[in-house]
């Protein structure tokens, strides 16, 4: 249905224009604009941002006697309105302006003898070339940036009263003519009078800062090689570590023997690692990261576009096949891939040019329909591959208890088609909206408008088909994290696991998971992505550093007292079977402590009662663990003087197994992180120009949804790591453990911010992200501590009262803590709204 609508939409356009071509020389009645007045202002913004921006405002005041003055007050969809605006804002030779952005339409105000138009534009110095933005000609090159004020032909005889340029801290290399006033990079020209033909009225040349020199670089090959090497190192590095961890898991099972579930999960993990590496190389080939700069022997090819789309199709089909779906699904996917591959490699058989890149306005609606079907096929294969591999990894790790895949073609197929239709519908909306933005002042009836529109649509359809694989591949880390979680779950299900905390291999898997899923990583510095793999290494190192601190400072890592130098650690003597006894002893310890506080005042009987309580407390401080498997030989150990039995219980967590702690903590963190996810999405798209730009992207709407899902996965991943390492992290209570993990997360963000400061890039609301991470983990840890004594939940009206009992907080201390929490919350919110900030990069 979607395809039919698109075909009818394109096919319904007029074959040729109904009106004549170029306008006459006096079409704008330029003689009547001799008394018009114009003012121009341009503000450069360079510091603390990844891409330099130029925001311009052009104000034109025309006499009310101008023939088209009344037309400026009409609707924007009116042909008369567009004709009037074309005269004031455009050169007929530069009607299509894809690099010109507008936050809103021109503002028109009218008086008794005049009509004023205020036109605001925005330009990003993100790519090289020569562009027209408003009245400005902009040249972006590696060693120079040029700004030229070029008056529209109809306003060349007008009065240009004031021209102001603020370079935003950049230095000017050339200025012509000399400004009337200049100060600190701000230059003003007054009384310029009429324009001297088509020559620039004002020219300013700047040398771009080294942090922005990559924009418009004449040596793009070097930058391309560097970025390709950095991204490839990230992709292949993660794959290598995943493969090695999976092979090691097969040699080091969790229990005495390797279970079938561990074998299947480990096999799926290393297979996914190999496939991810292969797909990464294919995506690099697809986007010509290598082929675009390497001299390929043989005849010159007009374009690599068809080859790129074919590689994307092949990669998507490989993703589906390796997931081993049902036969019906495999056959259907193969047919789709073969048909789409034939279009990509032999487009002339379907009414398209010999090369996809050479499509033009003569392409018929049937050819456009073929291109839409081609893009939908690539989308369908990658989406199906993601879904199938996600189920395969979860099933083989024991996360799903199903004997066979429920993904039958007749069930899953319609769902995938609907999702693909939503993706393609958004891309079609984006494409049309982008065209309307760039050509909003073009004459819809002019000769060549229809052919230019069709060319843009069919060209973007090919671009979309080539960009789908990259969009999906940037999200494969989700499947990598799922594969690691599945293997951890499979190891937990192994019978007779001899340890109560994650073993060395489990810690390695958790460190890799932390680096892939949780760690914030910087995309690029000064346009260079060579440092991308560094974040993976730093993420693993940060977690191992935290574990190294935990080996000395965690409660269960402390040694018993009174046994000489060879006293064992607490974690060596406590087993999962003793958890119920441990919780009962901790509860009795709290009761006795409360009784001691209540009996501080009294007579001789109170003193005797106090001695009895202290004697019983001393007995709880003694530990009698089993020292061998047979249970013979019971030793008497003393807990360290600074550790209580309540601390030991809280360090053990709410569940007997560490994996259950991890699962429980992940669910809690995801729930607590819901408001934070909404807040961070709102912050990212909060500025008006951000909302404007995300709509001008093939995957704009899907990315909004994905960004929310991304943050939920980050919170859940951080909660899983917190719960899994609960018994190994430093701290006596949950918030201390949460703080240690949040510090590891913050350290990596701090390194990224340092790089941003060096390269003068924006680092946005990282303070908000760090605060939310600490808040989510703290709330999760408080809930974990409360759930440790969940058997007492029925005795307390709420969790807060239970927590106050667990932490031994009474009276004034509780009130102070409550007030301080409110103050901190208010200050944090106030700080956030006052400082604002840009997007979190």
């Amino acid at each position: 249905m979607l395809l039919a609508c698109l075909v009818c939409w394109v096919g319904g356009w007029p074959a040729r224009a109904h009106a004549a071509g170029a306008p006459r020389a006096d079409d704008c009645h330029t003689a009547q604009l001799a008394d018009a007045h114009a003012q121009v202002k341009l503000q450069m913004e360079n510091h603390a941002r990844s891409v330099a921006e130029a925001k311009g405002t052009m104000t034109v005041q025309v006499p009310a006697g101008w023939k088209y003055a009344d037309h400026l007050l009409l609707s924007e969809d009116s042909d008369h309105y567009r004709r009037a605006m074309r005269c004031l804002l455009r050169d007929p030779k530069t009607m299509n302006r894809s690099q010109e952005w507008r936050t809103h339409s021109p503002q028109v105000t009218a008086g008794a003898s005049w009509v004023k138009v205020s036109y605001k534009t925005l330009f990003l110095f993100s790519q090289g070339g020569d562009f027209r933005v408003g009245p400005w000609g902009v040249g972006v090159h590696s060693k120079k940036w040029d700004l030229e004020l070029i008056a529209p032909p109809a306003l060349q005889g007008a009065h240009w009263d004031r021209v102001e340029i603020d370079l935003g801290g950049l230095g000017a290399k050339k200025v012509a003519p000399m400004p009337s006033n200049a100060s600190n990079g701000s230059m003003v020209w007054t009384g310029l009078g009429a324009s001297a033909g088509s020559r620039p009225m004002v020219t300013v040349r700047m040398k771009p800062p080294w942090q922005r020199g990559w924009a418009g670089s004449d040596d793009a090959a070097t930058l391309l090689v560097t970025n390709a090497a950095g991204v490839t190192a990230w992709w292949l590095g993660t794959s290598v570590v995943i493969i090695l961890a999976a092979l090691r898991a097969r040699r080091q099972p969790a229990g005495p023997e390797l279970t079938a579930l561990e074998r299947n999960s480990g096999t799926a993990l290393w297979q996914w690692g190999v496939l991810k590496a292969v797909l990464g190389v294919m995506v690099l080939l697809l986007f010509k990261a290598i082929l675009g700069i390497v001299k390929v022997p043989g005849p010159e090819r007009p374009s690599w576009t068809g080859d790129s789309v074919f590689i994307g199709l092949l990669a998507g089909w490989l993703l589906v096949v390796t997931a081993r779906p049902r036969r019906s699904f495999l056959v259907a996917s193969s047919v789709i891939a073969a048909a789409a591959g034939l279009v990509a490699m032999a487009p002339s058989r379907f009414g398209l040019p010999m090369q996809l890149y050479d499509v033009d306005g003569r392409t018929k609606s049937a050819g456009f329909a073929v291109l839409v079907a081609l893009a939908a096929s690539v989308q369908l294969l990658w989406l199906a591959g993601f879904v199938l591999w996600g189920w395969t990894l979860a099933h083989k790790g024991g996360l799903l208890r199903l004997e066979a895949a429920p993904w039958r073609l007749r069930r899953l197929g319609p769902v995938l088609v609907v999702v693909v239709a939503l993706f393609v519908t958004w891309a079609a909306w984006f494409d049309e909206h982008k065209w309307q933005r760039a050509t909003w002042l073009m004459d819809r009836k002019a000769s060549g408008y229809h052919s230019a529109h069709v060319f843009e649509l069919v060209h973007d359809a090919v671009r979309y088909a080539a960009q789908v694989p990259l969009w999906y591949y940037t999200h494969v880390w989700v499947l990598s994290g799922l594969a690691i979680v599945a293997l951890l779950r499979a190891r937990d299900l192994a019978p007779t696991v001899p340890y109560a905390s994650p073993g060395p291999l489990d810690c390695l898997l958790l460190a890799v998971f932390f680096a892939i899923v949780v760690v914030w990583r910087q995309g690029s510095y000064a346009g260079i992505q060579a440092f991308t793999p560094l974040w993976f290494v730093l993420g693993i190192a940060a977690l191992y550093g935290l574990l190294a601190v935990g080996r000395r400072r965690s409660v269960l890592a402390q040694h018993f007292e009174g046994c000489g130098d060879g006293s064992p650690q607490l974690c060596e003597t406590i087993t999962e079977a003793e958890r119920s006894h441990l919780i009962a002893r901790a509860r009795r310890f709290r009761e006795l402590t409360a009784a001691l506080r209540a009996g501080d005042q009294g007579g001789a009987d109170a003193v005797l009662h106090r001695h009895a309580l202290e004697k019983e407390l001393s007995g709880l401080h003694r530990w009698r663990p089993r020292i061998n498997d047979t249970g013979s030989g019971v030793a008497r150990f003393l807990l360290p003087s600074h550790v209580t039995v309540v601390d030991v219980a809280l360090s053990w967590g709410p569940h007997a197994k560490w994996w259950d702690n991890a699962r429980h903590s992940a669910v809690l963190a995801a729930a607590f992180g819901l408001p934070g996810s909404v807040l961070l999405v709102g912050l990212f798209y909060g500025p008006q120009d951000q909302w404007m730009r995300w709509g001008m992207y093939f995957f704009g709407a899907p990315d909004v949804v994905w960004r929310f899902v991304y943050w939920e996965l980050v919170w859940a991943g951080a909660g899983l790591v917190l719960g899994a390492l609960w018994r190994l992290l430093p701290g006596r209570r949950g918030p201390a453990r949460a703080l240690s993990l949040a510090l590891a997360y913050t350290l990596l963000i701090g390194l990224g911010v340092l790089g941003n400061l060096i390269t003068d890039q924006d680092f946005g609301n990282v303070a908000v992200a760090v605060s939310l991470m600490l808040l989510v983990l703290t709330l999760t840890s408080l809930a974990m501590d409360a759930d440790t004594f969940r058997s007492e939940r029925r005795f307390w009206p709420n969790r807060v009262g239970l927590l106050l009992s667990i932490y031994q907080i009474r009276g004034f201390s509780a009130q102070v803590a409550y007030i301080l929490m409110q103050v901190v919350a208010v200050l944090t919110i106030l700080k956030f709204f006052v400082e604002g900030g840009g997007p979190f990069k």
Side-chain angles (χ1 to χ4, degrees):
M1 181 179 297
L2 172 66
L3 188 59
C5 292
L6 290 173
V7 172
C8 294
W9 175 46
V10 178
W13 290 334
R16 301 189 61 83
H18 298 295
R24 298 186 302 272
D26 60 348
D27 198 39
C28 291
H29 299 274
T30 56
Q32 300 177 8
L33 294 174
D35 294 331
H37 292 263
Q39 294 185 4
V40 178
K41 181 178 181 180
L42 186 69
Q43 173 69 48
M44 295 281 296
E45 296 183 1
N46 169 65
H47 291 301
R49 59 187 60 247
S50 301
V51 178
E53 298 180 1
K55 297 181 178 179
T57 302
M58 177 182 178
T59 304
V60 182
Q61 183 173 303
V62 300
W66 181 45
K67 182 176 181 179
Y68 301 139
D70 294 342
H71 296 174
L72 295 172
L73 304 176
L74 300 178
S75 169
E76 297 180 18
D77 298 330
S78 169
D79 290 336
H80 296 297
Y81 173 87
R82 279 195 285 262
R83 179 176 57 186
M85 282 295 179
R86 279 198 299 270
C87 292
L88 301 182
L89 306 178
R90 285 289 188 270
D91 184 334
K93 299 178 182 179
T94 61
M95 297 300 295
N96 189 342
R97 299 188 176 185
S98 59
Q99 300 300 321
E100 180 180 294
W101 298 84
R102 295 175 289 118
T103 56
H104 53 75
S105 301
Q107 297 176 341
V108 181
T109 56
S113 60
W114 50 267
V115 177
K116 181 183 293 185
V117 177
S118 179
Y119 183 46
K120 295 184 177 181
T121 57
L122 172 67
F123 175 76
L124 304 177
F125 290 79
S126 56
Q127 64 183 71
D130 296 314
F131 312 99
R132 290 294 298 273
V133 182
W136 298 96
V138 183
V140 182
H141 304 282
S142 59
K143 297 182 179 180
K144 64 177 182 177
W145 289 353
D146 292 326
L147 297 174
E148 296 178 342
L149 177 60
I150 304 175
L155 292 179
Q156 289 181 357
H159 301 279
W160 292 80
D161 300 330
R162 181 182 176 89
V163 176
E164 181 178 354
I165 301 179
D166 188 344
L167 298 181
L170 297 177
K173 296 178 59 178
K174 174 183 177 183
V175 177
M178 288 295 294
S180 305
N181 187 10
S183 175
N184 297 327
S186 179
M187 296 169 285
V188 178
W189 292 261
T190 57
L192 289 176
S195 171
S198 60
R199 290 182 298 175
M201 301 179 63
V202 173
T203 300
V204 177
R205 174 168 294 177
M206 302 164 289
K207 181 180 180 180
W210 66 269
Q211 299 96 330
R212 314 287 178 264
W214 60 270
S217 175
D218 297 327
D219 187 16
T222 302
L223 179 64
L224 192 60
V225 170
T226 303
N227 290 346
V231 174
T232 304
W234 162 265
W235 290 344
L236 298 183
T238 55
S239 295
V240 169
V241 173
I242 288 174
I243 293 171
L244 294 177
L247 295 177
R248 183 179 172 186
R250 300 189 66 176
R251 296 192 302 267
Q252 300 178 8
E257 297 180 356
L258 184 68
T259 64
L261 195 61
E262 286 182 278
R263 183 185 303 106
N264 294 336
S265 182
T267 301
L269 180 59
W270 77 259
Q271 287 177 345
W272 169 249
V274 173
L275 177 62
K276 191 171 79 71
V278 173
L279 291 177
V281 174
M282 296 181 74
V283 168
L284 285 176
L285 294 175
L286 190 154
F287 281 91
K288 301 180 293 185
I290 298 176
L291 295 180
I293 56 176
V294 176
K295 295 295 184 180
V296 181
E300 289 290 331
R301 299 290 300 274
S303 169
W304 287 98
T305 305
D307 299 342
S308 298
V309 175
F310 179 77
I311 294 174
L313 284 166
L314 181 60
W317 177 79
L318 182 63
L319 192 63
V320 173
V321 172
T322 51
R324 297 181 180 179
R326 289 178 177 270
R327 181 177 300 178
S328 59
F329 209 101
L330 179 61
V331 172
S333 301
S334 300
V335 170
I336 293 174
L342 185 61
V343 174
M345 298 308 294
S348 59
R349 295 178 178 270
F350 301 89
L352 297 169
M354 292 294 294
Q355 293 291 325
L356 289 181
Y357 187 79
D358 298 331
V359 293
D360 55 27
R362 296 188 300 272
T363 303
K364 305 299 182 183
S365 59
F368 177 73
V370 171
L371 292 177
V372 172
L374 174 63
S377 300
V378 181
Q379 181 80 246
L380 181 63
L381 289 173
W382 277 85
L383 179 61
F386 254 63
V387 173
L388 291 172
W389 260 103
W391 183 91
T392 299
L393 294 172
H395 174 66
K396 290 190 175 182
L399 297 177
L400 296 176
R401 300 298 185 87
L402 297 174
E403 295 299 330
W407 310 115
R408 297 181 182 274
L409 180 61
R410 65 175 180 269
R411 296 179 181 176
L412 181 61
V415 176
L416 295 178
V417 170
V418 170
V419 176
V420 169
L422 293 176
F423 272 87
V424 177
T425 300
W426 170 263
W429 180 91
F430 145 77
D431 207 20
E432 179 63 18
H433 200 67
K434 179 176 71 73
W435 170 259
Q436 296 298 335
R437 174 185 64 84
T439 64
W440 69 290
L441 286 180
M442 286 183 67
D443 185 0
R444 269 54 174 169
K445 299 178 181 179
S447 175
Y449 176 82
H450 170 72
S451 60
H453 194 180
V454 174
F455 170 77
E456 191 72 17
L457 288 174
V458 295
H459 184 262
D460 283 348
V462 177
R463 289 178 53 232
Y464 177 68
Q467 289 185 17
V468 166
L470 178 62
W471 188 83
Y472 275 96
Y473 195 78
T474 56
H475 302 146
V476 296
W477 60 268
V478 177
L479 294 179
S480 300
L482 178 61
I484 295 173
V485 171
L487 180 56
L488 290 171
R489 172 58 172 164
R491 291 173 60 82
D492 170 74
L493 292 176
T496 63
V497 176
Y499 50 85
S501 300
L505 178 57
D506 299 307
C507 290
L508 172 62
L509 292 172
L510 288 169
V512 175
F513 176 85
F514 180 74
I516 293 177
V517 177
V518 182
V519 168
W520 172 85
R521 45 189 178 271
Q522 176 70 32
S524 64
Y525 290 113
I528 299 176
Q529 299 177 346
F531 301 100
T532 301
L534 181 63
W535 300 109
F536 180 64
V537 178
L538 290 176
I540 296 177
L543 196 66
Y544 269 107
L546 183 59
L547 289 175
V549 176
R551 291 191 187 98
R552 299 191 302 269
R553 304 302 298 267
S554 66
V555 171
L556 298 182
Q558 304 303 310
H559 291 267
F560 285 99
E561 295 180 352
C563 300
D565 296 335
S567 61
Q569 293 178 321
L570 273 65
C571 60
E572 297 174 351
T573 59
I574 303 175
T575 62
E576 295 179 356
E578 297 175 340
R579 180 182 175 277
S580 298
H581 178 60
L582 174 63
I583 297 299
R585 287 165 60 91
R587 180 182 179 183
R588 182 57 181 165
F589 181 90
R590 289 165 36 222
E591 293 172 349
L592 295 174
T593 304
L596 278 177
R597 291 179 178 177
D600 283 341
Q601 295 179 357
D605 293 339
V607 173
L608 294 177
H609 180 64
R610 180 181 181 86
H611 284 311
L613 294 178
E614 291 178 348
K615 183 177 181 181
E616 187 174 355
L617 280 174
S618 299
L620 293 176
H621 205 68
R622 297 187 181 93
W623 199 259
R624 299 180 180 180
R626 299 180 183 272
I627 60 177
N628 55 43
D629 295 337
T630 62
S632 61
V634 176
R636 293 178 178 269
F637 296 153
L638 286 177
L639 292 177
S641 58
H642 61 282
V643 175
T644 68
V645 67
V646 176
D647 297 333
V648 178
L650 292 177
S651 299
W652 193 259
H655 296 279
K657 292 186 176 182
W658 66 266
W659 169 256
D660 292 330
N661 283 339
R663 176 185 53 79
H664 187 64
S665 179
V667 173
L668 290 172
F672 287 128
L674 281 171
S677 300
V678 175
L679 177 61
L680 286 171
V681 171
L683 281 175
F684 185 85
Y685 295 106
Q688 185 179 15
D689 56 346
Q690 281 295 110
W691 280 112
M692 173 187 66
R693 285 196 287 265
W694 77 259
M696 304 295 125
Y697 174 47
F698 279 128
F699 302 96
D703 268 353
V704 175
V705 179
W706 167 251
R707 190 164 294 276
F708 174 82
V709 175
Y710 162 77
W711 281 112
E712 279 299 296
L713 293 176
V714 169
W715 308 135
L720 186 140
V721 174
L722 176 66
L725 302 178
W726 189 260
R727 299 165 185 173
L728 304 179
L729 293 177
R732 298 168 56 194
R733 296 172 180 174
R737 297 181 181 86
L739 178 62
S740 63
L741 185 60
L743 286 176
Y745 177 82
T746 305
L747 175 63
L748 298 177
I749 288 186
L751 294 176
V753 169
L754 179 61
N756 285 333
L757 291 175
I758 295 175
T759 55
D760 196 18
Q761 295 182 181
D762 57 332
F763 48 87
N765 295 286
V766 293
V768 178
V770 170
S771 300
L772 286 174
M773 175 61 75
L774 178 59
L775 178 61
V776 169
L777 291 180
T778 300
L779 293 175
T780 302
S781 65
L782 291 173
M784 290 280 285
D785 282 349
D787 290 340
T788 300
F789 293 89
R790 59 184 176 275
S791 60
E792 304 178 35
R793 178 67 179 84
R794 61 183 180 273
F795 304 127
W796 298 93
N798 50 54
R799 288 176 178 263
V800 175
L802 177 59
L803 279 173
L804 295 178
S805 172
I806 294 172
Y807 294 158
Q808 301 289 299
I809 299 178
R810 292 293 186 270
F812 182 73
S813 299
Q815 297 298 323
V816 171
Y818 180 70
I819 294 174
L820 286 178
M821 277 196 334
Q822 294 187 63
V823 172
V824 170
V826 170
L827 291 178
T828 302
I829 295 174
L830 181 62
K831 181 175 183 291
F832 160 68
F833 281 107
V834 170
E835 292 186 356
F840 176 61
K841 298 293 184 182

